[in-house]
Amino acid sequence: MRIYTCICGAPLFIDNTHCTNCGRKSGWCEGCSSMASFDIGEGGEWLCTACGDTGLPCTNYAEHDVCNRVVTEGAGFCRLCAMNDVVPNLEVEGNRDRWARLEAAKRRLVYALDLVGLPYGDETDPPLRFAFMGDGELAGLWRTAGEERVFTGHADGLVTINIREADDDEREALRVDMGEAHRTLIGHLRHELGHYYWDVAIKGNPEAEAAFAAVFGDPEDPDYGTALERHYAEGPREGWEGLYVSAYATMHPWEDWAETFALWLAMAGVLDTAQSLGINGPFPETTEGMVRAYGRLGFALNEFSREMGLLDVVPVVITGAIEAKLDHITRVIRGAARPAAPAGLAVKS
């Protein structure tokens, strides 16, 4: 994640709504596609100090303070908020704060998609959409028989996240119960995006499906339902650590793909941030280069975290088997990326 600069010279981060130095309003300018500070005109218009465009804050910025984007063409919802099919019921206490945390994670997710050039709008079939919901808030969607529970998942372009995941105590209890090294909001989103891009870039393409099966295994042997039941009954297979990025990835080839895709996006985000901060060089051109650079950073970051008594920032040891899976994802991302993807991130297999 790049660090931006206010006109006064102070740093601006992707979640800022004002400059902590000069006090100017700040946000993501859709005119110049960057974080910027804004001067407010007499008519209430926001003038971007970076590109000079004028606009208005997104409706969800102005009314609910869960967004920080500025719309420079007309008014209303920004590009990211327009992707929401369902938002939490704001009459429920605490839901606005939960929604704000979900939107913050989504901003970083979409930044990463733009960074690597992956399409997600009308140019994809289906376009990417989001539903942020609490249990019992919407009838007929993501329920089990006799229950009113929202399940985090993906189907037909719609990524659904149960807003309970935005509560730290709930999420930490689930993390420990399920043995997940990292269970975070952006981690959930990255995982579900893996399922989304499997549908967009692989599903229905015989050549792509064969290439996927050669690396991750046949998704029909066993079928998903059988694999799911076996996983929760028996747990991960013995010796999985050198072959999979997580215990959950052992469940089925689709989950292996989604977990590995999430790791790929996490690596890209860490390396982009390191480059922006000047502690790492240009984005590597190969999967091998990504793995090596990520490993070096992870070694240092983990030691800093352990010194503070925190969880490892990089919990995965990337073996040759895992690197081969990451390289497959590199090739799929390159094939699906928009032609105008940033040259520095056109990772070669």
Side-chain angles (χ1 to χ4, degrees):
M1 173 62 62
R2 178 182 168 190
I3 313 303
Y4 297 86
T5 306
C6 176
I7 193 173
C8 74
L12 288 177
F13 302 92
I14 195 169
D15 294 322
N16 283 157
T17 56
H18 68 279
C19 174
T20 56
N21 181 55
C22 70
R24 283 183 173 88
K25 283 286 190 178
S26 68
W28 185 273
C29 174
E30 292 199 337
C32 58
S33 295
S34 67
M35 283 295 298
S37 55
F38 292 83
D39 291 323
I40 312 301
E42 294 182 359
E45 70 280 3
W46 290 36
L47 174 68
C48 177
T49 60
C51 70
D53 279 1
T54 58
L56 293 170
C58 168
T59 298
N60 285 337
Y61 189 178
E63 296 183 3
H64 304 299
D65 200 27
V66 299
C67 176
N68 70 343
R69 291 204 161 210
V70 177
V71 182
T72 54
E73 293 185 7
F77 292 117
C78 70
R79 183 166 54 89
L80 268 63
C81 288
M83 298 165 71
N84 291 339
D85 275 13
V86 182
V87 298
N89 179 0
L90 297 185
E91 294 182 359
V92 176
E93 184 179 358
N95 270 7
R96 193 215 68 85
D97 290 339
R98 296 183 183 99
W99 183 22
R101 289 192 284 272
L102 285 160
E103 290 293 343
K106 189 176 78 177
R107 284 194 290 274
R108 290 181 178 271
L109 179 80
V110 174
Y111 173 94
L113 298 183
D114 287 335
L115 184 73
V116 301
L118 279 171
Y120 50 84
D122 292 337
E123 70 272 35
T124 57
D125 183 21
L128 179 62
R129 305 170 337 271
F130 295 91
F132 299 140
M133 302 161 51
D135 294 336
E137 290 186 7
L138 187 67
L141 187 62
W142 304 97
R143 300 271 181 91
T144 58
E147 298 180 355
E148 295 187 350
R149 182 180 176 187
V150 173
F151 288 94
T152 293
H154 164 264
D156 300 322
L158 180 67
V159 171
T160 299
I161 304 291
N162 189 316
I163 60 171
R164 290 186 305 166
E165 294 286 351
D167 289 329
D168 293 341
D169 53 347
E170 291 265 0
R171 191 175 61 254
E172 178 63 11
L174 286 169
R175 186 194 70 78
V176 173
D177 182 58
M178 299 185 74
E180 296 181 343
H182 281 183
R183 187 183 179 97
T184 63
L185 291 179
I186 195 167
H188 277 311
L189 290 171
R190 287 170 178 151
H191 175 96
E192 301 306 335
L193 261 288
H195 290 303
Y196 172 69
Y197 282 108
W198 196 93
D199 284 359
V200 168
I202 295 177
K203 183 179 179 180
N205 181 326
E207 183 177 347
E209 289 188 357
F212 164 83
V215 176
F216 290 90
D218 184 355
E220 300 302 326
D221 183 22
D223 64 83
Y224 189 86
T226 301
L228 182 67
E229 291 181 5
R230 184 175 67 186
H231 178 77
Y232 284 112
E234 303 175 7
R237 64 195 65 181
E238 187 176 354
W240 64 267
E241 291 88 345
L243 302 173
Y244 300 88
V245 302
S246 69
Y248 190 62
T250 69
M251 194 267 280
H252 185 271
W254 289 338
E255 299 302 344
D256 191 9
W257 159 273
E259 288 285 270
T260 310
F261 183 93
L263 172 61
W264 197 103
L265 281 187
M267 291 169 60
V270 167
L271 292 174
D272 179 57
T273 302
Q275 180 182 354
S276 177
L277 292 172
I279 59 177
N280 201 54
F283 199 94
E285 292 189 347
T286 65
T287 306
E288 180 182 9
M290 286 182 69
V291 169
R292 302 299 170 263
Y294 185 68
R296 288 192 298 271
L297 287 169
F299 179 85
L301 292 171
N302 286 351
E303 287 303 310
F304 284 128
S305 293
R306 292 167 188 172
E307 199 64 33
M308 299 300 295
L310 302 174
L311 294 173
D312 283 355
V313 175
V314 178
V316 179
V317 175
I318 300 177
T319 63
I322 293 173
E323 184 174 329
K325 294 177 181 180
L326 288 166
D327 190 58
H328 177 83
I329 288 174
T330 294
R331 287 182 272 118
V332 172
I333 287 175
R334 290 188 67 223
R338 295 185 294 265
L345 296 181
V347 183
K348 302 172 184 177
S349 61

